[in-house]
Amino acid sequence: MRKAIFLVMLISISLVVACSDSGYSHDDTAAVVKGEEITVGEVRFVFNVHDENLRNSVEMYIVDELIIDEVRNEMGIDLTDEVESYVEADPSYPFDDIDPEAAERMRDLVEEQADRFNMEPEEYHEAFSQASAERTVYQDRYFLEKIDDPDSNEIDQSIYGVTTALVDKYEDEIEIYIEE
């Protein structure tokens, strides 16, 4: 099941890709949230996004960071063990143990991103898996804590409402520097 979720995540992320990175460097500040800088490179690393879709990805990254911070610091929940279990369950590069067609797409994505960040594919995949697992595990816990009926048909609306309320809570502590 986790392999399928990971595959869907990688494919979904790859769909966010546009055409070029010419406007922003990896070191440029994309946003400051609660006093912490988020760089363009950090956003690109997680979302494999190019400049045309960067603003939207920065906003998604901010929500992820707020959720992680909220669970850790406001709720006092440490999910380190769950994150590590999630990482261990992910398929490993070069993805030989999954569907060959999906493995090829995933290898292409990992190799493109590794090249983009001057990393070896295995190194990129390991770091990406860690970042992705952390986001997924903390989001899951946050939504379970905040949504009364996570099995309802209105789950998308519930997630939207919960994330909007979280962003509103910290609105004065969020500055985005990427143009729309």
Side-chain angles (χ1 to χ4, degrees):
M1 177 67 172
R2 288 186 186 216
K3 287 180 185 181
I5 292 170
F6 182 75
L7 175 62
V8 168
M9 282 180 9
L10 270 178
I11 291 170
S12 297
I13 289 168
S14 68
L15 294 176
V16 175
V17 176
C19 26
S20 77
D21 286 341
S22 61
Y24 297 99
S25 76
H26 289 330
D27 295 330
D28 287 342
T29 301
V32 174
V33 177
K34 298 178 74 176
E36 297 293 321
E37 178 186 43
I38 297 170
T39 66
V40 169
E42 290 171 311
V43 175
R44 287 178 178 157
F45 188 88
V46 171
F47 291 113
N48 186 22
V49 65
H50 296 276
D51 289 350
E52 293 82 3
N53 298 317
L54 187 57
R55 173 70 183 224
N56 185 50
S57 294
V58 169
E59 291 170 357
M60 291 188 305
Y61 193 97
I62 289 168
V63 170
D64 290 349
E65 291 298 306
L66 290 173
I67 287 172
I68 292 167
D69 183 67
E70 194 79 1
V71 171
R72 281 185 181 148
N73 298 318
E74 300 299 320
M75 296 176 178
I77 301 171
D78 178 14
L79 298 173
T80 304
D81 292 340
E82 289 87 340
V83 170
E84 289 310 311
S85 293
Y86 200 93
V87 169
E88 289 171 10
D90 280 347
S92 59
Y93 181 86
F95 313 112
D96 292 332
D97 56 342
I98 63 173
D99 173 68
E101 192 174 303
E104 183 177 342
R105 286 193 307 270
M106 291 171 67
R107 275 192 300 276
D108 289 346
L109 176 65
V110 167
E111 289 164 5
E112 175 188 332
Q113 282 291 87
D115 185 53
R116 188 180 201 192
F117 288 95
N118 298 315
M119 300 171 82
E120 291 299 317
E122 296 83 0
E123 178 186 17
Y124 170 79
H125 179 259
E126 184 178 319
F128 173 81
S129 291
Q130 183 69 37
S132 178
E134 180 178 53
R135 285 170 156 59
T136 300
V137 168
Y138 278 87
Q139 284 175 3
D140 288 352
R141 176 56 72 88
Y142 185 74
F143 295 133
L144 283 173
E145 296 287 330
K146 294 291 183 177
I147 296 173
D148 293 331
D149 184 9
D151 295 324
S152 90
N153 291 333
E154 290 86 34
I155 189 70
D156 289 342
Q157 292 174 335
S158 298
I159 289 172
Y160 178 78
V162 167
T163 56
T164 300
L166 182 62
V167 170
D168 289 348
K169 177 179 176 180
Y170 293 104
E171 180 179 14
D172 294 338
E173 298 182 66
I174 300 171
E175 294 179 52
I176 301 176
Y177 298 104
I178 301 302
E179 296 177 22
E180 290 190 56

